[in-house]
Amino acid sequence: MEIRLSRPCVDDPTRYIAECQLGKRLDMEKLCDILRGMGAKELKCSLNLGVARFELEERSVMLYKSGRVDIRKIRTTEEARIFLEKITSMVSESFSDKSS
């Protein structure tokens, strides 16, 4: 898993946006159904744009159809790794075998 702390958050410059990659594409319809079923806080899903946004433990998470993950309000790459593992286990059933 490659994790990169890209830039400071606007609302808290001591925290960063972590850019990560799941390594697999996501089936957005399944992903949004999973997140709805889990009662994800402040969930917004756009099948057309291929993106889902929700709150997890006071951090904003954006999942993209491509498998990219952005996690806001992260302090370290280790913290991002822990969150990415949680997210991966939450959404693993939405991994797609399709290449497009």
Side-chain angles (χ1 to χ4, degrees):
M1 289 186 281
E2 183 183 336
I3 298 172
R4 186 170 71 94
L5 299 182
S6 65
R7 58 194 179 278
C9 292
V10 173
D11 56 336
D12 185 350
T14 66
R15 294 179 183 231
Y16 297 88
I17 298 170
E19 295 177 353
C20 318
Q21 190 65 32
L22 292 171
K24 296 188 180 201
R25 295 181 66 77
L26 296 168
D27 178 317
M28 292 307 294
E29 198 167 330
K30 283 183 185 176
L31 173 66
C32 293
D33 286 346
I34 289 168
L35 293 172
R36 275 189 212 98
M38 297 175 82
K41 292 182 182 179
E42 298 185 37
L43 176 63
K44 293 182 183 179
C45 279
S46 174
L47 299 179
N48 291 337
L49 296 176
V51 65
R53 180 175 184 218
F54 64 100
E55 298 293 318
L56 177 66
E57 297 178 21
E58 299 182 18
R59 285 156 184 86
S60 177
V61 178
M62 293 183 71
L63 297 170
Y64 299 87
K65 183 178 182 176
S66 66
R68 176 178 162 171
V69 181
D70 289 348
I71 310 168
R72 295 178 185 266
K73 300 182 183 175
I74 291 292
R75 289 190 176 113
T76 65
T77 54
E78 184 56 31
E79 183 180 29
R81 190 174 320 284
I82 291 165
F83 265 83
L84 187 58
E85 288 172 3
K86 287 180 189 179
I87 293 164
T88 300
S89 69
M90 288 170 52
V91 304
S92 63
E93 290 182 26
S94 69
F95 290 158
S96 175
D97 294 330
K98 297 177 185 176
S99 60
S100 60

